[in-house]
Amino acid sequence: MSVFRRFLTTAILLAGVITSGCHYKLQPSTHGSISGKGDIYVKINGLHNDQGQVVVSLYASDKGFPTEVALSLLTINTGIHAGEANVLFHDIPYGYYAVCILHDENQDGEMEATLLGTPLEGFSFSGRPNYFLGRPQFEDSKFIMMAPKRELELRVRYETGRKGRQKATRAKQLDSGKQ
């Protein structure tokens, strides 16, 4: 299929989804217009130290998202260098996916949390999910994979210790004469 024809088919499908307001669920195509596989490259930054590992899970549905890693399509554990990590998911069929990231500083494979459920380790999600009052939803975190290569850049967040780090930074600035 020519590049122009593939582009035109994709544009028509996306225009239909946008104008109809419905969600298009990708199915294997008998015509070959939307089937395919590609690589998802995830660049992770904002890690506040190089301790432990980064656990990156790729989910193909809301089953288990984001807490049950065993129900993810694929999970890769990787090391950290200079506050960054990179992961490549290879040969992923076209469709909808969501990524969940855990900075597993103690390498126990689980998110450490306070008694109130506030995360003690760093985390991130694809998309722009709302997780102010609980776990994010797959629908808010998903993205579409419809190309030979898809790149995501995600920044890790730390919910606890933020005030402590801010206070320590201010103290260092005052000690060094900066304000």
Side-chain angles (χ1 to χ4, degrees):
M1 178 185 296
S2 73
V3 173
F4 177 74
R5 188 171 177 189
R6 180 177 284 167
F7 171 77
L8 186 61
T9 302
T10 303
I12 290 169
L13 284 171
L14 289 176
V17 169
I18 291 169
T19 58
S20 69
C22 66
H23 295 283
Y24 181 78
K25 185 172 182 180
L26 292 177
Q27 298 292 332
S29 173
T30 57
H31 305 292
S33 61
I34 302 206
S35 64
K37 292 184 178 182
D39 297 340
I40 300 173
Y41 175 74
V42 184
K43 181 178 181 181
I44 303 140
N45 56 44
L47 295 151
H48 70 181
N49 64 48
D50 291 358
Q51 296 174 1
Q53 64 184 354
V54 176
V55 179
V56 184
S57 299
L58 180 69
Y59 289 85
S61 73
D62 62 349
K63 282 193 176 179
F65 181 82
T67 57
E68 296 180 52
V69 174
L71 295 177
S72 68
L73 179 66
L74 292 168
T75 295
I76 297 175
N77 298 343
T78 189
I80 305 163
H81 180 70
E84 294 184 351
N86 300 304
V87 168
L88 176 67
F89 293 104
H90 184 64
D91 250 1
I92 304 301
Y94 290 173
Y96 287 100
Y97 297 96
V99 170
C100 177
I101 295 172
L102 167 64
H103 180 191
D104 189 13
E105 294 180 78
N106 62 1
Q107 296 187 351
D108 68 351
E110 295 182 9
M111 168 63 79
E112 298 297 318
T114 66
L115 292 173
L116 298 175
T118 304
L120 292 170
E121 294 178 301
F123 62 92
S124 187
F125 303 98
S126 55
R128 301 266 188 245
N130 180 4
Y131 47 84
F132 181 68
L133 293 174
R135 296 181 179 130
Q137 300 298 309
F138 178 83
E139 285 296 313
D140 298 329
S141 302
K142 73 180 180 182
F143 61 91
I144 191 166
M145 170 65 176
M146 277 185 49
K149 184 177 181 183
R150 176 73 193 251
E151 294 182 14
L152 302 173
E153 186 169 344
L154 302 176
R155 183 164 190 78
V156 174
R157 293 188 54 159
Y158 296 88
E159 292 301 307
T160 59
R162 187 175 352 158
K163 288 183 182 179
R165 286 193 299 277
Q166 289 172 345
K167 187 185 267 186
T169 301
R170 282 190 212 111
K172 284 181 189 177
Q173 289 173 345
L174 290 173
D175 288 343
S176 65
K178 298 178 187 174
Q179 290 188 12

